[in-house]
Amino acid sequence: MRRKLVVGNWKLHGSRATNAALLSGLAAGRPYACEMAVCVPFPYLHDVADAWRGSELMWGAQDCSAHEQGAYTGEVAAAMLSEFGCRYAIVGHSERRQFHHESDQLVADKAKAALAKGVTPIVCVGESLAQREAGATEEVVKRQLSAVIHTLGHCAGEMVVAYEPVWAIGTGRTASPEQAQAVHALLRAQLQAASGHAERIRILYGGSVKPDNAQALFAQPDIDGGLIGGASLNADHFIAICRAAG
Ligand code: 13P
């Protein structure tokens, strides 16, 4: 039985003052039946660790370098994330694939670097609207996931996968529970064929998840929680989404 996981992706939002209120609001909503985590901009990791250390709430980063150390200006290594108590690192978010031209192989290398330091990668895959309309959804998400499966090898069972259709991110246009479930089932079958451990790998859905649509999405057999953007910035909304996860 997979325990549901709900992760907030703050993206490029926040300030120390607003974060403090959000973090204490989320802590006040405990206990949660699901696992809850927030992935925050790097400079705020210390504050999250201070606020939540010793609780069951978890945190992480939104990216992770593929390199261990060296002359890579601006990069942040997995070992550094680990020092700040990060449980998770999002890798391969569509905004990084799009705006930072991250390739499938780079995303896979980042996932491997994270795992090597005990940080669980949340590997994002998802098709654009044009790709969906061209009937290429399956081919695209399988290609993206395949690079990670091959690079992680026998450790593939340790990752978390997030299906985030690009056309549903920040648009208010959510995939229907059936549309999302269909892709999640494909991804699980691919993970099963490759790793044999698909039953324990959590596959999250992301893209305009809100309090009013979360329950129907999370009720699908292969949707194991959510990766939440906009709604994770509001404590009441994020708590409601976590409650919808059971
Ligand atoms: P929204 O929930 O704002 O659509 O963002 C989804 C997302 O990209 C989470 O990583």
Side-chain angles (χ1 to χ4, degrees), residues 9-244:
N9 174 9
W10 288 5
K11 306 192 181 185
L12 187 55
H13 293 289
S15 69
R16 297 185 85 186
T18 59
N19 299 344
L22 180 52
L23 292 169
S24 65
L26 297 177
R30 285 179 299 157
Y32 299 103
C34 67
E35 279 180 43
M36 177 206 275
V38 291
C39 289
V40 307
F42 296 125
Y44 298 142
L45 285 171
H46 184 266
D47 288 344
V48 186
D50 259 2
W52 282 5
R53 190 179 292 111
S55 80
E56 73 285 9
L57 304 178
M58 293 173 289
W59 57 92
Q62 299 170 16
D63 188 25
C64 169
S65 180
H67 304 286
E68 261 187 61
Q69 61 173 345
Y72 301 105
T73 301
E75 295 273 274
V76 175
M80 300 170 185
L81 301 181
S82 179
E83 279 196 294
F84 283 85
C86 286
R87 174 68 206 282
Y88 294 108
I90 297 171
V91 297
H93 192 281
S94 61
E95 288 150 14
R96 294 207 62 86
R97 292 180 190 262
Q98 185 182 349
F99 303 131
H100 300 270
H101 310 292
E102 294 194 2
S103 67
D104 294 339
Q105 189 55 50
L106 177 62
V107 171
D109 291 341
K110 289 181 169 195
K112 186 173 183 179
L115 261 189
K117 299 298 174 191
V119 176
T120 300
I122 300 174
V123 178
C124 300
V125 300
E127 81 288 2
S128 67
L129 185 58
Q131 288 166 331
R132 173 161 282 261
E133 286 174 344
T137 298
E138 177 169 351
E139 176 200 326
V140 170
V141 298
K142 281 190 165 175
R143 189 199 69 224
Q144 292 172 334
L145 187 58
S146 161
V148 185
I149 288 172
H150 285 109
T151 299
L152 295 188
H154 67 276
C155 296
E158 305 300 318
M159 71 176 144
V160 171
V161 176
Y163 170 55
E164 297 206 311
V166 178
W167 48 272
I169 295 177
T171 57
R173 187 176 163 192
T174 326
S176 70
E178 295 72 25
Q179 278 176 322
Q181 166 59 26
V183 178
H184 281 231
L186 281 175
L187 295 172
R188 195 171 309 281
Q190 186 183 3
L191 289 164
Q192 182 61 24
S195 78
H197 298 303
E199 278 315 306
R200 66 184 174 90
I201 300 180
R202 289 184 290 193
I203 307 177
L204 313 182
Y205 170 77
S208 296
V209 179
K210 306 291 175 201
D212 61 358
N213 60 24
Q215 198 157 15
L217 287 160
F218 297 162
Q220 298 298 313
D222 288 298
I223 299 185
D224 306 313
L227 184 55
I228 319 299
S232 74
L233 300 171
N234 176 302
D236 292 340
H237 292 181
F238 193 53
I239 288 171
I241 291 170
C242 290
R243 300 264 186 260

